[in-house]
Amino acid sequence: MSPNEQHVIIGAGHNGLVCATLLARAGRKVLVLEAANEVGGMAQTREFAPGFKVSACAHLAFGLQKDLAARLGLSEHGLAFSAQNLPTTALNPNGAPVVFEAGSVRGVSAADAQTYTGFAAQLERFSHVLAQVFSMEPFKLALATWPERLAALRLAWKIRVMGKRDMREFLRVIGMNAYDLLTDHFESTSMKGALAFDATLGGEHGARSPGTVLTLLYRRAGLQGAGPLGIAQPKGGMGALTQSLAAAARAAGVEIRCGQRVARILVEEDKAAGVVLESGEKIPAGSVISNADPKTTFLKLLGAEHLDTDFVRRIDHFRSKGLVAKLHLALDGLPEFTGVEPASLSGRLLVSPSLDYLELAFNPSKYRQIPDEPVLEITIPTIKDPSLAQPGKHVLSINVMFVPYDLGPDPSGTRARLLRNILAVLERFAPAISEQIIASELLTPLDIEREFGVAGGHWHHGALAFDQFFFTRPVPGAAGYTTPVPGLFLCGAGSHPGGGVMGLAGQNAAQKILAKGH
Ligand SMILES: Cc1cc2nc3c(=O)[nH]c(=O)nc-3n(C[C@H](O)[C@H](O)[C@H](O)COP(=O)(O)OP(=O)(O)OC[C@H]3O[C@@H](n4cnc5c(N)ncnc54)[C@H](O)[C@@H]3O)c2cc1C
């Protein structure tokens, strides 16, 4: 690619923006084309009812990497937080809630509280290994080159230096399910349910599904990279975070054009040569980098005719149907949750009161049915950030698990039933809440697909599981941000290390593209 040619990035999700800024800072000419009228993708703030704003999909910064945020100068570009290090409160229908805060837990037996200290410390050490993997470029298992062999050795060494005991335990548990691990350690039903929640959030697995210890460590590894921020709430919602990313990108010289949907990736002489917009405008490029999900990128924008049959089959089989819905409620006052202290109300509230509850909520999704009693992650962002609603009014933002993509033969009837089921569960903990509702918005995975342009509406653009992780993410042949088509790269959540608003896929992709001399 000649130095005058530009990089075109499809999509101004947070990963696309991170990638764009890093490329521009390395002296590349970068144009970002975003289909929506706003940047941010699944991390944006918008009005869902007159006077009520909410973070549309992602509602909490769970793993925004502190080093990356500092490197991009996000605070100088307007990023501020209305809350940091938020506590997690597990609502308990049978008694006092369990509260996780600053590495300890309250509301459980002394024995469980003590075990938790050691358990959490061990998870920290294990997550540290995974956190290193997050910023590694996936290597091919054949280890054909010296850099690949060195990367594999570095990884093996990270595990080895944990010491014999930890190493043995790490290798024992990493493929296990969260249910067995938690049952081995704790007696508190409510605590086990809450810990299993983090192992399953965003995925398509229940607590008993294999690989849920990996996803538990995944979440903790993300948080490790967030450092002192912990679980945080950007001032102005998640959209403020992506706006600061866009400001950093523009300051680095990136051009961002919103409302420009890419219809097709151009291929000339077997190489990516630019894009064609829906308007018909043709934009030439030396390389094309896609922040769109892998299915959209390869099957819709590129076209199977440029790929071999085996690769097309793999992309076709990439599991990407989401199971998380989002409910937004506009309330005419602050809701009261029984037994929850005011300080906890502004944090994360979980409805996942036991391992069995979680598993029972997951089971119907296997048969494309909704749960009678859904698992919920609730935030009330307006407590710490009143700018999101009129004085005295509040917003409830809820991640709802496990809601299938396909709602069956009567989607509107199923949606109405789902809303009733969620409200019935909420009322158990906040009895007066239904009377406070002014307006509501429910986004199922299908709505998320339609509105945010993510095939399947999946949290991670595609399942995060052992068979779709690291050197096989999204699929063999497209792991490591390169694709079978020279000059076409991936930089979104469908690539390693996956989703959540961490910025790592965008960062790693930029490194790879620069290393390839593009
Ligand atoms: C319900 C839900 C709740 C979530 N909650 C959280 C949370 O609380 N915390 C958290 O950290 N994560 C959360 N996530 C996950 C997180 O939102 C995503 O993993 C993350 O935003 C993905 O970022 P991305 O930049 O890779 O992709 P995206 O945000 O999906 O961005 C991709 C961009 O590409 C654009 N695009 C696609 N096709 C085209 C095209 N043809 N032309 C031009 N542009 C195109 C899209 O419009 C979009 O802007 C949640 C996800 C969901 C679904």
Side-chain angles (χ1 to χ4, degrees), residues 295-451:
K295 277 201 163 134
T296 300
T297 303
F298 292 112
L299 304 182
K300 205 166 143 198
L301 303 180
L302 181 68
E305 64 275 21
H306 299 294
L307 297 162
D308 72 46
T309 326
D310 217 29
F311 186 84
V312 172
R313 187 185 48 78
R314 269 180 247 151
I315 290 291
D316 210 29
H317 290 183
F318 179 62
R319 295 191 310 285
S320 58
K321 283 191 178 148
L323 270 188
V324 185
K326 192 79 195 292
L327 177 65
H328 304 137
L329 297 178
L331 303 180
D332 71 0
L334 184 63
E336 213 173 288
F337 281 77
T338 316
V340 177
E341 308 153 0
S344 299
L345 202 56
S346 55
R348 211 163 63 113
L349 308 177
L350 303 184
V351 177
S352 178
S354 71
L355 289 167
D356 283 348
Y357 180 102
L358 192 143
E359 199 66 16
L360 286 168
F362 166 65
N363 283 344
S365 70
K366 298 178 204 160
Y367 314 102
R368 295 168 297 284
Q369 286 165 9
I370 58 164
D372 288 340
E373 299 188 311
V375 165
L376 310 176
E377 179 191 59
I378 306 161
T379 68
I380 313 174
T382 33
I383 298 179
K384 292 286 186 184
D385 188 354
S387 74
L388 298 170
Q390 303 291 328
K393 309 276 189 254
H394 284 277
V395 166
L396 221 73
S397 173
I398 310 177
N399 278 331
V400 184
M401 290 164 29
F402 297 86
V403 178
Y405 172 87
D406 179 356
L407 291 184
D410 174 22
S412 53
T414 308
R415 287 175 71 91
R417 196 155 52 82
L418 177 62
L419 188 56
R420 277 199 304 276
N421 293 355
I422 301 168
L423 292 179
V425 168
L426 267 179
E427 277 172 356
R428 226 172 270 162
F429 303 98
I433 198 148
S434 291
E435 290 140 42
Q436 294 179 294
I437 299 173
I438 299 170
S440 70
E441 175 188 52
L442 177 63
L443 301 170
T444 68
L446 180 61
D447 300 322
I448 291 168
E449 172 180 273
R450 288 181 179 145
E451 193 164 330

Side-chain angles (χ1 to χ4, degrees), residues 179-247:
Y179 186 102
D180 288 342
L181 181 72
L182 297 169
T183 311
D184 270 359
H185 284 81
F186 303 109
E187 53 195 33
S188 158
T189 308
S190 184
M191 177 178 182
K192 286 186 276 192
L195 289 169
F197 173 87
D198 274 341
T200 54
L201 178 62
E204 48 301 294
H205 28 235
R208 279 196 155 112
S209 310
T212 35
V213 170
L214 172 75
T215 41
L216 177 62
L217 294 179
Y218 179 90
R219 184 151 280 264
R220 296 218 165 206
L223 262 181
Q224 232 173 54
L229 260 186
I231 302 175
Q233 188 186 317
K235 199 167 181 337
M238 291 296 276
L241 194 166
T242 44
Q243 289 293 343
S244 74
L245 280 168

Side-chain angles (χ1 to χ4, degrees), residues 9-25:
I9 299 189
I10 305 172
H14 83 287
N15 277 315
L17 294 169
V18 167
C19 185
T21 309
L22 296 178
L23 291 176
R25 284 194 182 173

Side-chain angles (χ1 to χ4, degrees), residues 10-16 33-36 38-44 56-63 219 238 260-263 291-293 296 300-301 324-326 377 399 443 448 451-454 457-461 491-494 498-502 505:
I10 305 172
H14 83 287
N15 277 315
L33 299 166
E34 169 54 52
E38 274 290 335
V39 301
M42 292 200 281
Q44 52 176 279
C57 286
H59 59 188
L60 290 169
F62 229 106
R219 184 151 280 264
M238 291 296 276
Q260 309 279 316
R261 183 176 294 280
V262 171
N291 183 194
D293 65 275
T296 300
K300 205 166 143 198
L301 303 180
V324 185
K326 192 79 195 292
E377 179 191 59
N399 278 331
L443 301 170
I448 291 168
E451 193 164 330
F452 298 92
V454 177
H458 197 288
W459 180 294
H460 295 283
H461 285 191
C491 74
V501 184
M502 300 196 289

